[in-house]
């Protein structure tokens, strides 16, 4: 949670956008201490609704009251190709993180991730580099 706290302190608006059921996402964020740093936690609706990753991302963007004009300021960080593809469908850049071990080698790059991150400190470095360009 320390890295998340530092990003929030630096002025980033942070949110979770997961394909997992929303209630499960809330429980996970609470357990690991992320909730105080997140503007919203969005997940898939209860069983019966057939949402794709892009649907969850659109829900997150809507909850944050972001518009098309804001999309260049949004950066998704994902650990599977579904994150990258869903972000692309929504017109949002996505950095792929490989250090969680969920994606097969090369999966994120093949899906078109804007960058690949292999260590815990690298997501912040990607954000800082994006700001200076």
């Amino acid at each position: 949670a320390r890295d998340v706290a530092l990003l929030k302190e630096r002025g980033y608006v942070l949110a979770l956008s997961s394909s997992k059921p929303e209630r499960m996402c809330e429980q996970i964020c609470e357990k690991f201490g992320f909730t105080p740093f997140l503007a919203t936690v969005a997940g898939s609706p209860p069983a019966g609704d057939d949402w794709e990753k892009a649907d969850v991302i659109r829900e997150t963007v809507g909850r944050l009251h972001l518009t098309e004009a804001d999309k260049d300021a949004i950066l998704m960080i994902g650990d599977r190709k579904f994150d990258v593809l869903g972000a692309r469908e929504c017109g949002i850049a996505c950095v792929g993180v490989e250090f969680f071990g969920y994606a097969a080698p090369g999966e994120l790059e093949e899906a078109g991730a804007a960058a690949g991150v292999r260590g815990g400190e690298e997501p912040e470095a990607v954000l800082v580099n994006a700001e200076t360009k």
Side-chain angles (χ1 to χ4, degrees):
R2 184 181 65 86
D3 292 336
V4 177
L6 288 173
L7 290 172
K8 184 172 182 179
E9 285 175 21
R10 291 189 175 161
Y12 293 101
V13 176
L14 306 170
L16 179 76
S17 187
S18 175
S19 296
K20 291 177 182 60
E22 189 163 308
R23 183 68 192 125
M24 181 186 294
C25 295
E26 293 167 346
Q27 292 169 338
I28 292 168
C29 289
E30 280 291 327
K31 179 179 179 175
F32 291 101
F34 295 130
T35 303
F37 309 109
L38 300 174
T40 191
V41 174
S44 293
D49 290 337
D50 190 23
W51 275 25
E52 301 285 331
K53 185 65 181 210
D55 296 315
V56 180
I57 295 169
R58 281 190 280 274
E59 177 67 18
T60 305
V61 169
R63 289 182 188 183
L64 296 173
H65 307 290
L66 300 171
T67 66
E68 286 290 320
D70 299 311
K71 287 193 176 177
D72 285 344
I74 301 171
L75 179 64
M76 181 162 172
I77 298 175
D79 58 13
R80 291 296 316 274
K81 67 181 177 183
F82 310 107
D83 300 317
V84 178
L85 298 173
R88 180 185 304 142
E89 184 177 327
C90 294
I92 296 170
C94 183
V95 169
V97 293
E98 296 178 352
F99 55 91
F100 295 125
Y102 296 116
E107 174 184 315
L108 297 164
E109 290 83 9
E110 288 173 21
V117 176
R118 291 173 180 80
E121 293 77 31
E122 289 184 49
E124 183 178 356
V126 169
L127 291 170
V128 171
N129 287 337
E131 285 179 354
T132 58
K133 291 182 181 177

